[in-house]
């Protein structure tokens, strides 16, 4: 009998121990949440045990740890990304259900552009805009052009040969720095990076800073900086995914990724193909061309293109550092088919433009100790673009290269770049700082480059310091000193202030004021310095005596965040004034000779107001801007110094967690843009670029625990194709009264497959 009672008490004790269980459930759908972190803290001994929930959302405390403490009470804390942290207390014999509530605000959001160490955007001295993966996917965005089409202060333009370009704060794309993981992109054609060549298949987020960052990133960072952050890690040991996209204008995008993560190692491979079969204004959705290639319909306003891309990333984590390699390859072929030639329409002139990009970088970043952060990379990038013109026999489809000088062209750019920073980032310190170096060596080759080959070297050191006399106030001066082998480089200063007062007992950074002065610059390109193109129709040469463009930028912004119960909102107001001196322009030198000169001065100014509101699973983001651009003819003519253009934006998101669905709507209004031009009769005329509206909408649903995701949507709901206005004319498009904006209304469907193994 005694033995029986003893066994009974043991069984009761064990059952009491085993019975200490927490079930972690989503309040939205009452479903268990796997892989949530549950912290059991013994309130008496302070011993802490961490357990991950199983596939049903259950976490049971280890019996050996609780056996001596059957009568103890425990503090239980549950954390999971995307949900609010929950705390409660339970006894050693209790089973409890804990319901997590979805977080309205974005969690674990960090920025790295121009920061001493990864930081939250609210604490950053710079005003940083983030475009996350959720928005990129909801937009059905294939490339960077698609993503930026909805952003305020950004205007996109389209050349159907040179691709998509942009302006930011009224400043042209040749003054916008585009980085991938902090490494500058090369291969600017007519000063611009083609945004449609940057695929979104492996992008984690995009960080945008408006205004100069030349102290940090040197040339081209005069109007703003866009840093594209790629995915370099994963939580699961093995992941394989595929994204398949079709759009009714004849665009197909297929990508695949595979990743392995084990211990301190990660390796990821990704690649894909993007195909676009061309588009004409007469095309209807889901149009398929059935006529022969000799018909006039062989000509497309938006040229057919074929792209292939692949990337490799490997990194090794040790201590708090990460050592890694990234490499990517890109291929693009654009085909420009000409109209059949009179009188018999049996021949045509066709062109192809083939681009190859090859980027490599080795990087080392992370904490070297508690207070210091290291970021170093060495990168080698190559860009090659080949233009060929063919005489095509449409009866036999035979092609032969034309013999006119200038019909064929090959441009090659090679760039070796290394950049490194060491920064002190001690949380309680009054002074933190950063010192760094930046070395660029660029070589250009081509028949239109003087002597066939030219080289330019740029060597810079830079530094900045953050002085925090009180916790709510930060001063950040910076300076960059440059030596360049081709021109006299300016000294670049900057000065930032951030003030975040505590109001009403709220946390710091709920209200923030930012002011900055920054000098920016753009180095003359190798083309502007050494271009040489002389034939019976052209007489254009570079100017090796060019000076660097420089700017002075003043900006002010204020941001306010408020979270009340289940409601969160944010207001952001910013103003800026920008002057650019020594602008480089192509101008007539004498007779028929054209060359580049530092002749122009340009100014932009504007304001922007944005607001965000979120309640439960519904989020609204809206805003407007008013941008002024200086009129270059105003000093000699009785014109206003500035011409202004408005913009407005509205985004709507709704996440229906119970059905695993997301609804999204994106709208943007691009206002009228006045332009002063000099006509062929040497008279000044004011023209107006027509205003227009664009809107996209999508629905996304996931199935089988996010194994499969399906998105359907419509783009360019208002069916915008061309707008009335003027174009300045170029080698590929002459002046006219119509500007291409979009490919009309289209419909898309996207299938994502994502397979993970558990850790």
């Amino acid at each position: 009998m005694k033995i029986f009672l003893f066994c009974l008490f043991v069984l009761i004790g064990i059952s009491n121990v085993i019975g200490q269980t927490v079930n972690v459930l989503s309040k939205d759908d009452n479903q268990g949440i796997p892989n949530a972190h549950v912290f059991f803290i013994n309130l008496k001994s302070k011993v802490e045990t961490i357990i991950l929930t199983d596939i049903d959302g259950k976490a049971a405390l280890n019996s050996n740890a609780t056996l001596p403490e059957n009568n103890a009470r425990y503090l239980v804390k549950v954390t999971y990304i995307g949900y609010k942290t929950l705390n409660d207390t339970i006894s050693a014999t209790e089973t409890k259900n804990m319901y997590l509530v979805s977080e309205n605000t974005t969690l674990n959001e960090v920025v790295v552009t121009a920061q001493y160490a990864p930081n939250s955007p609210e604490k950053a001295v710079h005003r940083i805009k983030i475009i996350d993966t959720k928005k990129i996917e909801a937009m059905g965005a294939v490339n960077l052009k698609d993503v930026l089409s909805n952003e305020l202060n950004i205007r996109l333009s389209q050349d159907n040969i040179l691709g998509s370009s942009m302006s930011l704060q009224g400043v042209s794309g040749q003054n916008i720095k585009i980085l991938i993981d902090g490494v500058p992109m090369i291969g600017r054609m007519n000063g611009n990076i083609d945004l449609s060549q940057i695929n979104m298949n492996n992008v984690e987020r995009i960080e945008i800073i408006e205004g100069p960052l030349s102290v940090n990133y040197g040339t081209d960072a005069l109007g703003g900086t866009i840093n594209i952050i790629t995915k370099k890690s994963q939580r699961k040991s093995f992941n394989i995914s595929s994204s398949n996209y079709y759009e009714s204008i004849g665009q197909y995008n297929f990508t695949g990724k595979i990743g392995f993560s084990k211990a301190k190692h990660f390796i990821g491979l990704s690649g894909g193909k993007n195909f676009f079969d061309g588009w004409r204004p007469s095309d209807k959705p889901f149009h398929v061309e059935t006529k022969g290639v000799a018909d006039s319909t062989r000509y497309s306003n938006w040229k057919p293109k074929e792209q292939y891309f692949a990337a490799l990333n490997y990194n090794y984590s040790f201590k708090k550092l990460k050592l890694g390699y990234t490499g990517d390859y890109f291929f693009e072929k654009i085909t420009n088919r000409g109209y059949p030639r009179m009188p018999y329409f049996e021949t045509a002139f066709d062109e192809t433009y083939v681009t190859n990009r090859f980027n490599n970088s080795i990087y080392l970043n992370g904490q070297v100790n508690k207070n210091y952060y290291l970021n170093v990379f060495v990168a080698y990038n190559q860009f090659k673009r080949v233009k060929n013109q063919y005489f095509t026999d449409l009866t036999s489809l035979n092609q032969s290269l034309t013999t006119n000088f200038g019909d064929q062209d090959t441009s090659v750019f090679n760039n070796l770049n290394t950049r490194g920073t060491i920064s002190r980032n001690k949380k309680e310190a009054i002074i933190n700082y950063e010192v760094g170096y930046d070395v660029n060596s660029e070589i250009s080759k081509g028949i239109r480059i003087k002597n066939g080959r030219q080289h330019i070297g740029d060597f810079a050191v830079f530094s900045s310091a953050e002085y925090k006399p009180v916790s709510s106030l930060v001063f950040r001066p910076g300076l960059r000193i440059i030596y360049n082998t081709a021109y006299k480089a300016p000294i670049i200063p900057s000065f930032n202030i951030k003030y975040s007062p505590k109001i009403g007992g709220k946390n710091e950074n709920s209200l923030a004021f930012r002011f900055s002065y920054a000098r920016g610059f753009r180095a003359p390109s190798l083309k502007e310095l050494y271009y040489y193109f002389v034939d019976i129709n052209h007489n254009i040469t570079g100017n090796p005596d060019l000076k660097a463009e420089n700017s002075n930028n003043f900006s002010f912004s204020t941001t306010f965040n408020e979270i009340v119960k289940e409601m969160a909102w944010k207001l952001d107001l910013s103003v800026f004034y920008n002057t650019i001196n020594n602008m480089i322009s192509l101008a007539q030198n004498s007779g028929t000779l054209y060359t580049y000169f530092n002749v122009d001065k340009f100014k932009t100014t504007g304001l922007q107001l944005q607001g965000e509101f979120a309640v439960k699973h519904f989020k609204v983001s809206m805003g407007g801007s008013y941008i002024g651009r200086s009129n270059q003819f105003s000093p000699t003519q009785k014109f206003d110094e500035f011409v202004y253009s408005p913009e407005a934006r509205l985004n709507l998101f709704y996440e229906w967690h119970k059905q695993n669905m997301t609804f999204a709507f994106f709208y943007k209004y691009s206002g009228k843009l006045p332009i002063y031009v000099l006509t062929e009769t040497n008279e000044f005329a004011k023209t107006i670029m027509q205003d227009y509206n664009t809107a996209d909408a999508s629905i996304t649903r996931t199935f089988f625990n996010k194994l499969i995701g399906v998105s359907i949507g419509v783009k360019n709901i208002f069916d915008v194709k061309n707008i009335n206005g003027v174009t300045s004319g170029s080698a590929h498009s002459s002046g006219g009264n119509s500007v291409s904006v979009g490919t009309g209304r289209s419909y898309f469907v996207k299938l994502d497959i994502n397979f993970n193994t558990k850790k």
Side-chain angles (χ1 to χ4, degrees):
M1 185 65 179
K2 291 181 179 181
I3 295 175
F4 173 79
L5 291 175
F6 174 78
C7 294
L8 180 62
F9 287 137
V10 169
L11 290 173
I12 292 173
I14 293 175
S15 65
N16 286 339
V17 172
I18 297 174
Q20 187 181 20
T21 302
V22 170
N23 297 313
V24 180
L25 308 169
S26 170
K27 193 174 182 180
D28 300 322
D29 53 15
N30 205 36
Q31 297 296 310
I33 300 177
N35 298 313
H37 286 77
V38 182
F39 299 78
F40 292 91
I41 305 171
N42 190 310
L43 294 175
K44 182 178 179 181
S45 66
K46 306 301 181 184
V47 174
E48 179 181 294
T49 305
I50 304 174
I51 298 175
L52 285 177
T53 56
D54 62 17
I55 194 170
D56 298 316
K58 181 181 296 184
L61 191 57
N62 185 289
S63 59
N64 293 329
T66 60
L67 189 56
E69 301 287 343
N70 282 339
N71 296 321
R73 291 195 65 80
Y74 288 79
L75 171 65
V76 178
K77 181 172 73 171
V78 183
T79 64
Y80 189 72
I81 293 177
Y83 293 84
K84 295 180 180 179
T85 298
L86 186 61
N87 297 295
D88 206 344
T89 58
I90 64 174
S91 68
T93 60
E94 187 176 357
T95 297
K96 194 175 190 71
N97 293 337
M98 298 183 70
Y99 295 88
L100 297 189
V101 177
S102 298
E103 181 71 84
N104 291 319
T105 57
T106 302
L107 299 179
N108 296 333
E109 204 171 53
V110 297
V111 291
V112 297
T113 308
Q115 302 304 301
Y116 289 176
N119 199 4
S120 69
E122 290 78 18
K123 295 180 180 179
V125 173
H126 298 91
R127 179 174 164 271
I128 303 177
K129 184 186 300 182
I130 300 174
I131 304 174
D132 59 17
T133 305
K134 184 178 292 187
K135 180 175 180 179
I136 294 172
E137 293 178 348
M139 294 182 73
V142 173
N143 52 52
L144 185 60
K145 176 186 76 73
D146 296 340
V147 176
L148 298 181
S149 64
N150 184 247
E151 296 302 310
L152 281 179
N153 283 0
I154 292 179
R155 283 224 176 203
L156 301 179
S157 58
Q158 177 70 30
D159 184 299
N160 293 319
I161 298 298
L162 299 178
S164 303
S165 59
M166 63 173 289
S167 66
L168 177 62
Q169 287 192 345
V171 179
S172 64
Q174 63 184 2
N175 292 302
I176 310 301
K177 193 84 168 186
I178 298 182
L179 312 169
I180 297 181
D181 295 320
V183 179
M185 287 195 69
I186 66 169
R188 293 177 179 268
M189 304 304 295
N190 278 14
N192 293 288
I193 298 289
D194 182 2
L195 306 179
S196 65
Q197 291 184 348
I198 307 173
N199 199 277
M200 294 288 103
N201 73 305
N202 194 41
V203 173
E204 180 178 293
R205 68 183 184 278
I206 300 169
E207 299 176 4
I208 302 175
I209 298 182
E210 299 180 12
L213 275 184
S214 295
V215 167
N216 299 84
Y217 298 109
T219 181
D220 304 329
L222 183 150
T225 300
I226 298 175
N227 194 7
I228 301 164
I229 311 299
T230 62
K231 298 174 183 177
K232 302 184 192 64
S233 63
Q234 62 187 41
R235 296 183 180 179
K236 305 296 183 178
S237 58
F238 174 75
N239 169 267
I240 183 169
S241 62
S242 173
S243 180
N244 308 279
Y245 175 93
Y246 167 72
E247 189 174 347
S248 61
I249 57 173
Q251 181 162 331
Y252 308 80
N253 191 73
F254 306 100
T255 65
K257 293 185 290 185
I258 184 170
F260 300 89
S261 180
K262 185 174 183 180
K264 300 179 180 181
H265 300 271
F266 167 77
I267 185 168
L269 295 166
S270 64
K273 176 184 178 180
N274 182 56
F275 176 75
F276 174 53
D277 65 4
W279 183 86
R280 299 178 298 272
S282 59
D283 288 350
K284 303 297 182 183
F286 308 102
H287 172 82
V288 177
E289 184 59 60
T290 57
K291 297 181 180 179
V293 295
D295 192 89
S296 61
T297 57
R298 71 192 307 272
Y299 176 86
S300 297
N301 297 75
W302 292 65
K303 311 305 178 187
K305 67 173 61 175
E306 192 171 7
Q307 298 175 339
Y308 296 89
F309 42 88
L312 166 67
N313 177 257
Y314 167 78
N315 61 67
Y316 170 71
S317 301
F318 61 101
K319 296 182 179 179
K320 293 186 178 181
L321 290 167
K322 184 175 287 186
L323 174 66
Y325 164 81
T326 61
D328 65 80
Y329 173 73
F330 173 84
F331 169 87
E332 177 187 72
K333 181 179 180 181
I334 298 174
T335 303
N336 180 20
R337 299 187 181 94
Y339 284 109
R341 300 170 66 242
M342 295 178 64
Y344 303 111
F345 305 102
E346 82 285 10
T347 62
F349 288 111
D350 295 339
E351 294 177 325
T352 61
Y353 297 81
V354 176
T355 299
N356 286 273
R357 290 182 182 272
F358 189 34
N359 303 318
N360 301 270
S361 67
I362 298 173
Y363 60 88
L364 175 66
N365 57 50
Q367 287 182 274
V368 291
N369 63 32
K370 184 179 179 181
N371 300 318
Y372 288 88
Y373 194 87
L374 177 70
N375 192 348
V376 180
F377 72 77
V378 178
Y380 175 73
N381 302 322
Q382 184 181 73
F383 174 89
K384 182 179 181 181
R385 185 176 173 98
V386 179
K387 175 215 169 183
N388 292 126
Q389 187 173 84
Y390 298 91
F391 181 75
T392 304
D393 186 333
L394 298 179
T395 60
S396 64
L397 298 184
N398 291 328
Q399 290 185 319
S400 59
L401 290 172
T402 59
T403 57
N404 293 330
F405 182 80
D407 286 352
Q408 323 302 329
D409 180 46
T410 298
S411 299
V412 179
F413 296 91
N414 296 284
N415 183 268
L416 179 63
N417 175 216
T418 176
R419 182 178 186 273
T421 61
I422 181 74
S423 54
R424 185 188 189 216
N425 192 44
K426 189 175 182 179
K427 186 176 181 180
E428 283 78 23
I430 296 177
I431 297 179
N432 287 311
Y433 54 84
E434 178 185 69
V435 294
Y437 72 91
D438 198 350
V439 176
N440 276 277
S441 177
E442 184 175 1
I443 297 174
S444 177
K445 301 176 184 178
I447 61 174
R448 298 182 185 180
I449 295 294
K450 187 177 180 179
N451 299 327
R453 182 183 185 277
Q454 293 292 337
H455 169 263
I456 188 171
D458 189 274
F459 309 87
V461 292
F462 59 92
S463 181
S464 65
E466 288 190 356
Y467 172 58
K468 188 184 292 186
V470 294
S471 61
S472 60
L473 183 62
V474 180
F475 299 93
R476 183 174 176 177
L479 189 70
R480 185 183 184 97
I481 300 174
I482 311 162
Y483 169 74
N484 191 281
T485 60
Y487 68 94
K488 186 177 180 180
I491 294 177
I492 305 298
S494 67
F495 185 71
N496 293 75
I497 301 175
K498 177 175 178 283
Y499 177 53
S500 305
K502 287 186 177 180
I503 55 173
K506 294 181 173 61
N507 295 329
E508 289 183 9
N509 302 301
S510 62
L511 174 65
F513 300 93
R514 292 177 172 89
F515 169 80
S516 72
Y517 162 74
R519 196 175 189 199
F521 85 103
R522 183 181 77 86
S525 68
L526 283 168
K527 175 182 177 181
E528 291 164 338
L529 290 167
Y530 304 114
Y531 193 70
Y532 184 80
F533 187 27
V534 177
D535 63 10
I536 59 174
N537 299 314
H538 305 84
N539 193 353
I540 306 172
T541 62
N543 182 358
D545 297 322
L546 287 173
K547 300 176 182 178
E549 297 181 356
N550 65 82
S551 72
N552 295 286
N553 178 279
F554 300 87
S555 65
F556 171 80
S557 68
T558 179
T559 305
F560 182 69
N561 297 279
E562 179 74 63
I563 299 178
V564 180
K565 296 182 179 179
E566 295 184 346
M567 181 174 62
W569 57 277
K570 175 182 178 181
L571 285 177
D572 185 289
L573 172 66
S574 63
V575 295
F576 71 89
Y577 180 79
N578 196 39
T579 63
I580 303 176
N581 304 302
N582 294 326
M583 280 195 71
I584 300 171
S585 298
L586 184 65
Q588 189 172 6
N589 188 2
S590 62
T592 59
L593 174 63
Y594 285 79
T595 190
Y596 293 92
F597 291 99
N598 294 106
V599 293
D600 290 340
K601 188 172 184 177
F602 186 67
K603 300 177 183 178
T604 64
T605 186
L607 61 86
Q608 177 179 265
L609 176 64
Q610 294 192 96
E612 293 184 5
F613 171 80
V615 57
K616 294 186 177 179
H617 313 302
F618 183 67
K619 182 178 180 181
V620 180
S621 175
M622 64 181 69
S625 66
Y626 197 58
I627 306 298
R629 300 160 177 83
S630 67
N631 167 30
Q632 61 177 323
F633 302 124
S634 61
T636 58
Q637 302 293 320
K638 293 182 179 180
F639 295 138
D640 295 332
E641 182 180 6
F642 286 92
V643 291
Y644 291 89
S645 177
E647 292 182 8
R649 185 187 73 163
L650 172 66
N651 293 344
L652 304 175
F653 284 92
Y654 179 71
E655 294 180 288
W656 190 6
H657 287 273
K658 189 172 183 179
Q659 296 295 329
N660 299 317
M661 296 181 72
T662 301
F663 301 86
F665 176 77
F666 307 95
Y667 166 79
K668 185 177 180 182
Y669 167 73
S670 299
K672 294 180 179 179
L673 179 62
I675 299 175
Y676 288 93
V677 297
L678 186 64
T679 66
E680 295 179 356
T681 59
N682 290 324
E683 296 178 343
F684 295 95
K686 180 181 179 180
T687 62
I688 301 292
M689 296 284 289
Q690 182 185 356
D691 59 342
Y692 60 96
N693 300 274
T694 56
D696 305 335
S698 68
I699 302 174
T700 301
R701 183 172 184 183
T702 59
F703 302 88
F704 310 116
N705 197 25
K706 297 185 178 181
L707 174 65
I708 295 176
V710 178
S711 300
I712 59 173
V714 54
K715 292 186 176 183
N716 199 350
I717 294 174
F718 298 110
D719 199 27
V720 180
K721 300 174 183 177
N722 301 314
I723 61 172
N724 293 327
V726 296
T727 55
S728 59
S730 68
H732 306 291
S733 58
S734 60
N737 60 358
S738 181
V739 177
S740 295
V741 172
T743 51
R745 186 184 301 113
S746 62
Y747 307 89
F748 73 87
V749 60
K750 184 181 179 185
L751 173 65
D752 294 317
I753 302 173
N754 189 49
F755 175 76
N756 293 294
T757 60
K758 297 180 180 179
K759 277 285 188 183

